[in-house]
Amino acid sequence: MTMTTKILIWMVAGLVLGSLTNAFASDVAFIQDYFVNGLFHVVGAMFITGLKMLVVPLVTFSLICGVYGIGDIAKLGRVGIKAFGLFILTTALAITLAITVASIVGPGEGFELTGDQGEFTAPVAPPLTQVIIDLVPGNPVAAYAEGNMLQIIFFTILFAVCMLMVGEPGRKVAEGAERLNQIMMQVVTVVMHVAPYGVFALMAKTFALQGLGLITPMIAYFGTVVVVLLLHATGTLMTLLKLLSGVSPVMFLRKMRTVQIFAFSTSSSNATIPVNLRTTERRLGVDNPTASFIVPFGATINMDGTAIMQGVATIFIANVYGIALGLSGYLTVIGMAVLASIGTAGVPGVGLIMLAMVFNQVGLPVEGIALIMGVDRLLDMMRTAVNVTGDAAITTIVAKSEGSLNEAIFDDPEAGIVEEIHLPHAAADST
Ligand code: ASP
C-alpha cells in the first residue's frame, strides 16, 4: 500500500469518527475530555508542530543550495519574476472566476438576517508600505525565530548570492548546506511516516467539534466556494499547466494528492512547505534551485483558494445586505484580494483577515464576516489544498520554461514515492 493510500484511509476514518462523535457524543464528557480534547488534540497538535519544525531549516538549507546551484543572478531574477507574475495572474483569475460564478448563482439572496449572527472584529491591517518595508529583516535571527517566510527568503538569497561572490569560502559553505539539505529531506521523509496518524487525529478532532449541520443554512455560499475551488484547481490551473509546460495534468494531480491531503488536514500552506518541496523535487522532477525558491515564496504570496473564498464571500455579503458593488467595486475587490495575499502568510484562518481588508476597502460591512465564520474552518481546509496546488503548478511551469524540469521523473508514477525507512542498525545488519 502506498503512503498516499494509507494517509487517505486514515483521513477518511478520522473524518467519519469525528462526524459520528459530533452527532452522537458531543455531550459525553469522557469522550470529549479524553479523546477529542485529549488524544486527538495532542496527536494532531504534535503533528502540525512537527511539520512546522521542518519549515525554517529546510527552506534555509534548500534555498542556499538552490541559489548557489543556479549560480547566475540574472537567472534567479528571471525565475522570481516569472513566478511572481504567474502568482498574480492565477490569483486574479481565481477571484474573477469566483465573482463571475457567484454573480450567476447569487448566494445570499433572500438570506434572513436574524441579528444574532455573532461578532467579528476586524484586525488592523498593516499598510502596504509597511508590508514592503518588512521584506527586509531588521534582525535575521528574529526572522528565523518567528518563521517570517518572506524575510527568511530575502536574507537567505542575499547570503547565498554573496557566497557566490566570495568564491572558495562560499563553495565550502555550499557543500555543507548540500549535506544539511539532504539530512533535512530525510527528516521530512521520517515525519511523513507518522502522517497517517497525525492526519487521522486532526480530522477526528476537527469534525468532532465542527458539526456539518452548520453548512445547511449556508449551503449556497459553501457550495459556490467548493464548486469554484474545483473549477480552478482542475480547470484554470491545469489548463495553464498544459498550455505553458505541456506536461500531463493527470499525472500532476495524481502526484499532488499527498500534498493536498497535508494542506487539507493542516489548513496551512506554510506547514505544507516541506511536503510540497519534497514532492515538487522528487515526484514532479523540478530541480532543487527552482523548487526551493518558488515553493516557500508561493506559500506566502500565492493563495488562489483564499482569493476564491473572498470573491464568493464578497458577493454573498453584498447580497445579504442588499449592497450593489458595481464594476469598479468588483475591480477593487480583485485588486485588493491580490495585494492582501502578498503580505499575509499561509496559516490557518488568515483568509478571514484578508477578507476584512477587502471589505474595508470597498465599504462592505465587516461585521458581515461573522455570518460565514461558522463554515470557514471547513472551507479553509479545502482552499488551502487549492493554494498549495497552485504553488506546485507554477513551480512546474517555471521549471519547464527554464529547462529545469526532469520529465523522466515527472512521467514516472513511482518516482520519489515514500518508501519504508530503515533505521541505521537495520541497515548495518543487512550488510
Ligand atoms: N489557510 C490558508 C493557507 O494557509 C490561508 C487561508 O485561506 O486562510 O493557505
PDB file of all heavy atoms in Angstrom, residues 135-172:
ATOM      1  N   LEU A 135       9.852  43.438   4.212  1.00  0.00           N
ATOM      2  CA  LEU A 135      10.556  42.389   3.468  1.00  0.00           C
ATOM      3  C   LEU A 135      11.996  42.266   3.963  1.00  0.00           C
ATOM      4  O   LEU A 135      12.606  41.209   3.908  1.00  0.00           O
ATOM      5  CB  LEU A 135      10.602  42.733   1.976  1.00  0.00           C
ATOM      6  CG  LEU A 135       9.330  42.546   1.175  1.00  0.00           C
ATOM      7  CD1 LEU A 135       9.533  43.012  -0.246  1.00  0.00           C
ATOM      8  CD2 LEU A 135       8.937  41.072   1.182  1.00  0.00           C
ATOM      9  N   VAL A 136      12.541  43.381   4.457  1.00  0.00           N
ATOM     10  CA  VAL A 136      13.934  43.378   4.921  1.00  0.00           C
ATOM     11  C   VAL A 136      13.943  43.066   6.413  1.00  0.00           C
ATOM     12  O   VAL A 136      13.322  43.774   7.197  1.00  0.00           O
ATOM     13  CB  VAL A 136      14.578  44.767   4.692  1.00  0.00           C
ATOM     14  CG1 VAL A 136      16.054  44.726   5.041  1.00  0.00           C
ATOM     15  CG2 VAL A 136      14.367  45.212   3.270  1.00  0.00           C
ATOM     16  N   PRO A 137      14.605  41.974   6.796  1.00  0.00           N
ATOM     17  CA  PRO A 137      14.615  41.648   8.232  1.00  0.00           C
ATOM     18  C   PRO A 137      15.603  42.542   8.990  1.00  0.00           C
ATOM     19  O   PRO A 137      16.790  42.554   8.663  1.00  0.00           O
ATOM     20  CB  PRO A 137      15.083  40.187   8.259  1.00  0.00           C
ATOM     21  CG  PRO A 137      15.820  39.985   6.987  1.00  0.00           C
ATOM     22  CD  PRO A 137      15.337  40.988   5.987  1.00  0.00           C
ATOM     23  N   GLY A 138      15.102  43.283   9.963  1.00  0.00           N
ATOM     24  CA  GLY A 138      15.988  44.123  10.774  1.00  0.00           C
ATOM     25  C   GLY A 138      16.965  43.232  11.525  1.00  0.00           C
ATOM     26  O   GLY A 138      18.122  43.572  11.741  1.00  0.00           O
ATOM     27  N   ASN A 139      16.482  42.062  11.915  1.00  0.00           N
ATOM     28  CA  ASN A 139      17.325  41.127  12.632  1.00  0.00           C
ATOM     29  C   ASN A 139      17.031  39.726  12.087  1.00  0.00           C
ATOM     30  O   ASN A 139      15.983  39.153  12.376  1.00  0.00           O
ATOM     31  CB  ASN A 139      16.979  41.223  14.124  1.00  0.00           C
ATOM     32  CG  ASN A 139      17.703  40.184  14.941  1.00  0.00           C
ATOM     33  OD1 ASN A 139      18.399  39.322  14.401  1.00  0.00           O
ATOM     34  ND2 ASN A 139      17.535  40.255  16.246  1.00  0.00           N
ATOM     35  N   PRO A 140      17.925  39.192  11.276  1.00  0.00           N
ATOM     36  CA  PRO A 140      17.653  37.894  10.650  1.00  0.00           C
ATOM     37  C   PRO A 140      17.352  36.799  11.664  1.00  0.00           C
ATOM     38  O   PRO A 140      16.519  35.931  11.406  1.00  0.00           O
ATOM     39  CB  PRO A 140      18.938  37.578   9.893  1.00  0.00           C
ATOM     40  CG  PRO A 140      19.659  38.864   9.767  1.00  0.00           C
ATOM     41  CD  PRO A 140      19.224  39.742  10.889  1.00  0.00           C
ATOM     42  N   VAL A 141      18.008  36.869  12.822  1.00  0.00           N
ATOM     43  CA  VAL A 141      17.760  35.820  13.820  1.00  0.00           C
ATOM     44  C   VAL A 141      16.303  35.862  14.269  1.00  0.00           C
ATOM     45  O   VAL A 141      15.643  34.826  14.403  1.00  0.00           O
ATOM     46  CB  VAL A 141      18.725  35.963  15.024  1.00  0.00           C
ATOM     47  CG1 VAL A 141      18.440  34.895  16.063  1.00  0.00           C
ATOM     48  CG2 VAL A 141      20.161  35.881  14.553  1.00  0.00           C
ATOM     49  N   ALA A 142      15.786  37.090  14.428  1.00  0.00           N
ATOM     50  CA  ALA A 142      14.376  37.212  14.804  1.00  0.00           C
ATOM     51  C   ALA A 142      13.489  36.669  13.687  1.00  0.00           C
ATOM     52  O   ALA A 142      12.490  35.989  13.936  1.00  0.00           O
ATOM     53  CB  ALA A 142      14.034  38.670  15.094  1.00  0.00           C
ATOM     54  N   ALA A 143      13.858  36.956  12.443  1.00  0.00           N
ATOM     55  CA  ALA A 143      13.063  36.467  11.307  1.00  0.00           C
ATOM     56  C   ALA A 143      13.023  34.937  11.328  1.00  0.00           C
ATOM     57  O   ALA A 143      11.967  34.326  11.145  1.00  0.00           O
ATOM     58  CB  ALA A 143      13.660  36.955   9.994  1.00  0.00           C
ATOM     59  N   TYR A 144      14.186  34.325  11.588  1.00  0.00           N
ATOM     60  CA  TYR A 144      14.222  32.857  11.655  1.00  0.00           C
ATOM     61  C   TYR A 144      13.419  32.356  12.853  1.00  0.00           C
ATOM     62  O   TYR A 144      12.683  31.375  12.750  1.00  0.00           O
ATOM     63  CB  TYR A 144      15.670  32.356  11.737  1.00  0.00           C
ATOM     64  CG  TYR A 144      16.362  32.402  10.398  1.00  0.00           C
ATOM     65  CD1 TYR A 144      17.198  33.445  10.060  1.00  0.00           C
ATOM     66  CD2 TYR A 144      16.140  31.405   9.453  1.00  0.00           C
ATOM     67  CE1 TYR A 144      17.805  33.510   8.814  1.00  0.00           C
ATOM     68  CE2 TYR A 144      16.744  31.460   8.215  1.00  0.00           C
ATOM     69  CZ  TYR A 144      17.574  32.514   7.908  1.00  0.00           C
ATOM     70  OH  TYR A 144      18.154  32.564   6.666  1.00  0.00           O
ATOM     71  N   ALA A 145      13.557  33.045  13.977  1.00  0.00           N
ATOM     72  CA  ALA A 145      12.858  32.594  15.183  1.00  0.00           C
ATOM     73  C   ALA A 145      11.345  32.675  14.988  1.00  0.00           C
ATOM     74  O   ALA A 145      10.607  31.804  15.433  1.00  0.00           O
ATOM     75  CB  ALA A 145      13.284  33.435  16.380  1.00  0.00           C
ATOM     76  N   GLU A 146      10.895  33.717  14.276  1.00  0.00           N
ATOM     77  CA  GLU A 146       9.445  33.863  14.086  1.00  0.00           C
ATOM     78  C   GLU A 146       8.944  33.090  12.873  1.00  0.00           C
ATOM     79  O   GLU A 146       7.744  33.023  12.641  1.00  0.00           O
ATOM     80  CB  GLU A 146       9.098  35.345  13.885  1.00  0.00           C
ATOM     81  CG  GLU A 146       9.211  36.165  15.154  1.00  0.00           C
ATOM     82  CD  GLU A 146       9.361  37.653  14.842  1.00  0.00           C
ATOM     83  OE1 GLU A 146       9.187  38.049  13.672  1.00  0.00           O
ATOM     84  OE2 GLU A 146       9.669  38.398  15.784  1.00  0.00           O
ATOM     85  N   GLY A 147       9.858  32.582  12.075  1.00  0.00           N
ATOM     86  CA  GLY A 147       9.447  31.874  10.864  1.00  0.00           C
ATOM     87  C   GLY A 147       8.829  32.817   9.847  1.00  0.00           C
ATOM     88  O   GLY A 147       7.910  32.434   9.123  1.00  0.00           O
ATOM     89  N   ASN A 148       9.315  34.056   9.788  1.00  0.00           N
ATOM     90  CA  ASN A 148       8.783  35.021   8.821  1.00  0.00           C
ATOM     91  C   ASN A 148       9.337  34.694   7.422  1.00  0.00           C
ATOM     92  O   ASN A 148      10.476  34.994   7.092  1.00  0.00           O
ATOM     93  CB  ASN A 148       9.206  36.435   9.244  1.00  0.00           C
ATOM     94  CG  ASN A 148       8.617  37.498   8.339  1.00  0.00           C
ATOM     95  OD1 ASN A 148       8.502  37.308   7.126  1.00  0.00           O
ATOM     96  ND2 ASN A 148       8.232  38.605   8.932  1.00  0.00           N
ATOM     97  N   MET A 149       8.488  34.051   6.627  1.00  0.00           N
ATOM     98  CA  MET A 149       8.982  33.431   5.399  1.00  0.00           C
ATOM     99  C   MET A 149       9.571  34.414   4.398  1.00  0.00           C
ATOM    100  O   MET A 149      10.629  34.161   3.834  1.00  0.00           O
ATOM    101  CB  MET A 149       7.824  32.638   4.781  1.00  0.00           C
ATOM    102  CG  MET A 149       8.223  31.394   4.045  1.00  0.00           C
ATOM    103  SD  MET A 149       9.549  30.469   4.775  1.00  0.00           S
ATOM    104  CE  MET A 149       8.733  29.755   6.152  1.00  0.00           C
ATOM    105  N   LEU A 150       8.910  35.557   4.177  1.00  0.00           N
ATOM    106  CA  LEU A 150       9.447  36.490   3.175  1.00  0.00           C
ATOM    107  C   LEU A 150      10.804  37.040   3.627  1.00  0.00           C
ATOM    108  O   LEU A 150      11.723  37.189   2.830  1.00  0.00           O
ATOM    109  CB  LEU A 150       8.464  37.636   2.910  1.00  0.00           C
ATOM    110  CG  LEU A 150       7.187  37.254   2.150  1.00  0.00           C
ATOM    111  CD1 LEU A 150       6.347  38.487   1.862  1.00  0.00           C
ATOM    112  CD2 LEU A 150       7.485  36.519   0.862  1.00  0.00           C
ATOM    113  N   GLN A 151      10.921  37.334   4.921  1.00  0.00           N
ATOM    114  CA  GLN A 151      12.203  37.844   5.436  1.00  0.00           C
ATOM    115  C   GLN A 151      13.289  36.776   5.344  1.00  0.00           C
ATOM    116  O   GLN A 151      14.437  37.065   5.010  1.00  0.00           O
ATOM    117  CB  GLN A 151      12.047  38.296   6.890  1.00  0.00           C
ATOM    118  CG  GLN A 151      11.151  39.509   7.028  1.00  0.00           C
ATOM    119  CD  GLN A 151      11.205  40.126   8.415  1.00  0.00           C
ATOM    120  OE1 GLN A 151      11.697  39.524   9.359  1.00  0.00           O
ATOM    121  NE2 GLN A 151      10.682  41.327   8.535  1.00  0.00           N
ATOM    122  N   ILE A 152      12.909  35.537   5.637  1.00  0.00           N
ATOM    123  CA  ILE A 152      13.890  34.439   5.549  1.00  0.00           C
ATOM    124  C   ILE A 152      14.358  34.289   4.102  1.00  0.00           C
ATOM    125  O   ILE A 152      15.551  34.160   3.824  1.00  0.00           O
ATOM    126  CB  ILE A 152      13.272  33.116   6.070  1.00  0.00           C
ATOM    127  CG1 ILE A 152      13.028  33.218   7.572  1.00  0.00           C
ATOM    128  CG2 ILE A 152      14.169  31.925   5.753  1.00  0.00           C
ATOM    129  CD1 ILE A 152      12.349  32.014   8.182  1.00  0.00           C
ATOM    130  N   ILE A 153      13.400  34.348   3.173  1.00  0.00           N
ATOM    131  CA  ILE A 153      13.760  34.212   1.759  1.00  0.00           C
ATOM    132  C   ILE A 153      14.701  35.354   1.359  1.00  0.00           C
ATOM    133  O   ILE A 153      15.733  35.144   0.732  1.00  0.00           O
ATOM    134  CB  ILE A 153      12.485  34.203   0.874  1.00  0.00           C
ATOM    135  CG1 ILE A 153      11.671  32.937   1.135  1.00  0.00           C
ATOM    136  CG2 ILE A 153      12.846  34.302  -0.604  1.00  0.00           C
ATOM    137  CD1 ILE A 153      10.347  32.867   0.406  1.00  0.00           C
ATOM    138  N   PHE A 154      14.361  36.562   1.762  1.00  0.00           N
ATOM    139  CA  PHE A 154      15.176  37.738   1.423  1.00  0.00           C
ATOM    140  C   PHE A 154      16.609  37.553   1.911  1.00  0.00           C
ATOM    141  O   PHE A 154      17.574  37.671   1.164  1.00  0.00           O
ATOM    142  CB  PHE A 154      14.546  38.984   2.061  1.00  0.00           C
ATOM    143  CG  PHE A 154      15.242  40.273   1.707  1.00  0.00           C
ATOM    144  CD1 PHE A 154      14.800  41.052   0.649  1.00  0.00           C
ATOM    145  CD2 PHE A 154      16.342  40.712   2.437  1.00  0.00           C
ATOM    146  CE1 PHE A 154      15.452  42.241   0.312  1.00  0.00           C
ATOM    147  CE2 PHE A 154      16.995  41.889   2.111  1.00  0.00           C
ATOM    148  CZ  PHE A 154      16.544  42.656   1.043  1.00  0.00           C
ATOM    149  N   PHE A 155      16.745  37.229   3.200  1.00  0.00           N
ATOM    150  CA  PHE A 155      18.088  37.129   3.778  1.00  0.00           C
ATOM    151  C   PHE A 155      18.872  35.954   3.189  1.00  0.00           C
ATOM    152  O   PHE A 155      20.055  36.073   2.871  1.00  0.00           O
ATOM    153  CB  PHE A 155      18.009  37.010   5.310  1.00  0.00           C
ATOM    154  CG  PHE A 155      19.366  36.974   5.943  1.00  0.00           C
ATOM    155  CD1 PHE A 155      20.124  38.130   6.055  1.00  0.00           C
ATOM    156  CD2 PHE A 155      19.916  35.780   6.389  1.00  0.00           C
ATOM    157  CE1 PHE A 155      21.396  38.103   6.612  1.00  0.00           C
ATOM    158  CE2 PHE A 155      21.183  35.747   6.952  1.00  0.00           C
ATOM    159  CZ  PHE A 155      21.922  36.912   7.059  1.00  0.00           C
ATOM    160  N   THR A 156      18.186  34.826   3.032  1.00  0.00           N
ATOM    161  CA  THR A 156      18.892  33.637   2.540  1.00  0.00           C
ATOM    162  C   THR A 156      19.399  33.854   1.116  1.00  0.00           C
ATOM    163  O   THR A 156      20.520  33.452   0.773  1.00  0.00           O
ATOM    164  CB  THR A 156      17.976  32.391   2.598  1.00  0.00           C
ATOM    165  OG1 THR A 156      17.388  32.343   3.883  1.00  0.00           O
ATOM    166  CG2 THR A 156      18.728  31.112   2.351  1.00  0.00           C
ATOM    167  N   ILE A 157      18.562  34.498   0.288  1.00  0.00           N
ATOM    168  CA  ILE A 157      19.005  34.736  -1.094  1.00  0.00           C
ATOM    169  C   ILE A 157      20.218  35.663  -1.085  1.00  0.00           C
ATOM    170  O   ILE A 157      21.226  35.408  -1.747  1.00  0.00           O
ATOM    171  CB  ILE A 157      17.856  35.328  -1.939  1.00  0.00           C
ATOM    172  CG1 ILE A 157      16.783  34.256  -2.149  1.00  0.00           C
ATOM    173  CG2 ILE A 157      18.369  35.823  -3.288  1.00  0.00           C
ATOM    174  CD1 ILE A 157      15.614  34.686  -2.985  1.00  0.00           C
ATOM    175  N   LEU A 158      20.127  36.729  -0.288  1.00  0.00           N
ATOM    176  CA  LEU A 158      21.254  37.668  -0.220  1.00  0.00           C
ATOM    177  C   LEU A 158      22.530  36.942   0.227  1.00  0.00           C
ATOM    178  O   LEU A 158      23.609  37.096  -0.344  1.00  0.00           O
ATOM    179  CB  LEU A 158      20.899  38.795   0.760  1.00  0.00           C
ATOM    180  CG  LEU A 158      21.946  39.876   0.960  1.00  0.00           C
ATOM    181  CD1 LEU A 158      22.168  40.654  -0.331  1.00  0.00           C
ATOM    182  CD2 LEU A 158      21.517  40.841   2.063  1.00  0.00           C
ATOM    183  N   PHE A 159      22.373  36.117   1.238  1.00  0.00           N
ATOM    184  CA  PHE A 159      23.503  35.366   1.803  1.00  0.00           C
ATOM    185  C   PHE A 159      24.113  34.444   0.741  1.00  0.00           C
ATOM    186  O   PHE A 159      25.324  34.393   0.547  1.00  0.00           O
ATOM    187  CB  PHE A 159      22.983  34.563   3.001  1.00  0.00           C
ATOM    188  CG  PHE A 159      24.058  33.876   3.789  1.00  0.00           C
ATOM    189  CD1 PHE A 159      24.763  34.564   4.766  1.00  0.00           C
ATOM    190  CD2 PHE A 159      24.371  32.540   3.568  1.00  0.00           C
ATOM    191  CE1 PHE A 159      25.752  33.931   5.502  1.00  0.00           C
ATOM    192  CE2 PHE A 159      25.353  31.901   4.287  1.00  0.00           C
ATOM    193  CZ  PHE A 159      26.044  32.604   5.265  1.00  0.00           C
ATOM    194  N   ALA A 160      23.210  33.715   0.031  1.00  0.00           N
ATOM    195  CA  ALA A 160      23.708  32.742  -0.944  1.00  0.00           C
ATOM    196  C   ALA A 160      24.351  33.445  -2.138  1.00  0.00           C
ATOM    197  O   ALA A 160      25.339  32.952  -2.696  1.00  0.00           O
ATOM    198  CB  ALA A 160      22.583  31.829  -1.395  1.00  0.00           C
ATOM    199  N   VAL A 161      23.795  34.593  -2.524  1.00  0.00           N
ATOM    200  CA  VAL A 161      24.408  35.337  -3.633  1.00  0.00           C
ATOM    201  C   VAL A 161      25.814  35.767  -3.227  1.00  0.00           C
ATOM    202  O   VAL A 161      26.769  35.676  -4.004  1.00  0.00           O
ATOM    203  CB  VAL A 161      23.525  36.565  -4.003  1.00  0.00           C
ATOM    204  CG1 VAL A 161      24.280  37.517  -4.926  1.00  0.00           C
ATOM    205  CG2 VAL A 161      22.234  36.109  -4.670  1.00  0.00           C
ATOM    206  N   CYS A 162      25.958  36.198  -1.968  1.00  0.00           N
ATOM    207  CA  CYS A 162      27.289  36.615  -1.501  1.00  0.00           C
ATOM    208  C   CYS A 162      28.228  35.425  -1.386  1.00  0.00           C
ATOM    209  O   CYS A 162      29.442  35.559  -1.557  1.00  0.00           O
ATOM    210  CB  CYS A 162      27.175  37.371  -0.180  1.00  0.00           C
ATOM    211  SG  CYS A 162      26.343  38.935  -0.452  1.00  0.00           S
ATOM    212  N   MET A 163      27.682  34.244  -1.115  1.00  0.00           N
ATOM    213  CA  MET A 163      28.523  33.036  -1.124  1.00  0.00           C
ATOM    214  C   MET A 163      29.133  32.854  -2.505  1.00  0.00           C
ATOM    215  O   MET A 163      30.291  32.465  -2.655  1.00  0.00           O
ATOM    216  CB  MET A 163      27.673  31.803  -0.792  1.00  0.00           C
ATOM    217  CG  MET A 163      27.417  31.606   0.682  1.00  0.00           C
ATOM    218  SD  MET A 163      26.134  30.364   0.971  1.00  0.00           S
ATOM    219  CE  MET A 163      26.791  28.942   0.144  1.00  0.00           C
ATOM    220  N   LEU A 164      28.315  33.118  -3.535  1.00  0.00           N
ATOM    221  CA  LEU A 164      28.832  33.011  -4.898  1.00  0.00           C
ATOM    222  C   LEU A 164      29.930  34.045  -5.135  1.00  0.00           C
ATOM    223  O   LEU A 164      30.936  33.764  -5.783  1.00  0.00           O
ATOM    224  CB  LEU A 164      27.698  33.270  -5.907  1.00  0.00           C
ATOM    225  CG  LEU A 164      26.692  32.154  -6.134  1.00  0.00           C
ATOM    226  CD1 LEU A 164      25.472  32.687  -6.868  1.00  0.00           C
ATOM    227  CD2 LEU A 164      27.329  31.031  -6.942  1.00  0.00           C
ATOM    228  N   MET A 165      29.706  35.240  -4.580  1.00  0.00           N
ATOM    229  CA  MET A 165      30.642  36.328  -4.844  1.00  0.00           C
ATOM    230  C   MET A 165      32.015  36.115  -4.199  1.00  0.00           C
ATOM    231  O   MET A 165      33.028  36.544  -4.738  1.00  0.00           O
ATOM    232  CB  MET A 165      30.035  37.663  -4.401  1.00  0.00           C
ATOM    233  CG  MET A 165      28.859  38.078  -5.283  1.00  0.00           C
ATOM    234  SD  MET A 165      27.804  39.311  -4.539  1.00  0.00           S
ATOM    235  CE  MET A 165      28.722  40.771  -4.814  1.00  0.00           C
ATOM    236  N   VAL A 166      32.024  35.438  -3.016  1.00  0.00           N
ATOM    237  CA  VAL A 166      33.313  35.309  -2.333  1.00  0.00           C
ATOM    238  C   VAL A 166      34.147  34.127  -2.840  1.00  0.00           C
ATOM    239  O   VAL A 166      35.295  33.962  -2.451  1.00  0.00           O
ATOM    240  CB  VAL A 166      33.179  35.206  -0.790  1.00  0.00           C
ATOM    241  CG1 VAL A 166      32.582  36.473  -0.221  1.00  0.00           C
ATOM    242  CG2 VAL A 166      32.372  33.986  -0.394  1.00  0.00           C
ATOM    243  N   GLY A 167      33.584  33.283  -3.683  1.00  0.00           N
ATOM    244  CA  GLY A 167      34.379  32.202  -4.282  1.00  0.00           C
ATOM    245  C   GLY A 167      34.603  31.020  -3.356  1.00  0.00           C
ATOM    246  O   GLY A 167      33.637  30.468  -2.808  1.00  0.00           O
ATOM    247  N   GLU A 168      35.844  30.658  -3.120  1.00  0.00           N
ATOM    248  CA  GLU A 168      36.208  29.430  -2.407  1.00  0.00           C
ATOM    249  C   GLU A 168      35.500  29.248  -1.042  1.00  0.00           C
ATOM    250  O   GLU A 168      34.893  28.202  -0.808  1.00  0.00           O
ATOM    251  CB  GLU A 168      37.739  29.362  -2.285  1.00  0.00           C
ATOM    252  CG  GLU A 168      38.295  28.090  -1.655  1.00  0.00           C
ATOM    253  CD  GLU A 168      37.824  26.810  -2.337  1.00  0.00           C
ATOM    254  OE1 GLU A 168      37.368  26.851  -3.497  1.00  0.00           O
ATOM    255  OE2 GLU A 168      37.890  25.748  -1.674  1.00  0.00           O
ATOM    256  N   PRO A 169      35.557  30.259  -0.150  1.00  0.00           N
ATOM    257  CA  PRO A 169      34.875  30.036   1.141  1.00  0.00           C
ATOM    258  C   PRO A 169      33.386  29.739   0.923  1.00  0.00           C
ATOM    259  O   PRO A 169      32.796  28.908   1.622  1.00  0.00           O
ATOM    260  CB  PRO A 169      35.048  31.365   1.885  1.00  0.00           C
ATOM    261  CG  PRO A 169      36.142  32.083   1.185  1.00  0.00           C
ATOM    262  CD  PRO A 169      36.202  31.573  -0.214  1.00  0.00           C
ATOM    263  N   GLY A 170      32.797  30.391  -0.059  1.00  0.00           N
ATOM    264  CA  GLY A 170      31.374  30.164  -0.350  1.00  0.00           C
ATOM    265  C   GLY A 170      31.127  28.732  -0.800  1.00  0.00           C
ATOM    266  O   GLY A 170      30.139  28.105  -0.434  1.00  0.00           O
ATOM    267  N   ARG A 171      32.055  28.203  -1.596  1.00  0.00           N
ATOM    268  CA  ARG A 171      31.879  26.832  -2.100  1.00  0.00           C
ATOM    269  C   ARG A 171      31.855  25.833  -0.940  1.00  0.00           C
ATOM    270  O   ARG A 171      31.062  24.894  -0.922  1.00  0.00           O
ATOM    271  CB  ARG A 171      33.012  26.476  -3.068  1.00  0.00           C
ATOM    272  CG  ARG A 171      32.756  25.195  -3.857  1.00  0.00           C
ATOM    273  CD  ARG A 171      33.916  24.857  -4.767  1.00  0.00           C
ATOM    274  NE  ARG A 171      35.179  24.687  -4.048  1.00  0.00           N
ATOM    275  CZ  ARG A 171      35.515  23.608  -3.334  1.00  0.00           C
ATOM    276  NH1 ARG A 171      34.692  22.611  -3.270  1.00  0.00           N
ATOM    277  NH2 ARG A 171      36.670  23.550  -2.699  1.00  0.00           N
ATOM    278  N   LYS A 172      32.732  26.091   0.040  1.00  0.00           N
ATOM    279  CA  LYS A 172      32.785  25.170   1.191  1.00  0.00           C
ATOM    280  C   LYS A 172      31.461  25.200   1.956  1.00  0.00           C
ATOM    281  O   LYS A 172      30.940  24.164   2.362  1.00  0.00           O
ATOM    282  CB  LYS A 172      33.934  25.552   2.120  1.00  0.00           C
ATOM    283  CG  LYS A 172      35.277  25.292   1.471  1.00  0.00           C
ATOM    284  CD  LYS A 172      36.341  25.065   2.523  1.00  0.00           C
ATOM    285  CE  LYS A 172      37.618  24.595   1.872  1.00  0.00           C
ATOM    286  NZ  LYS A 172      38.710  25.526   2.066  1.00  0.00           N
TER     287      LYS A 172
END
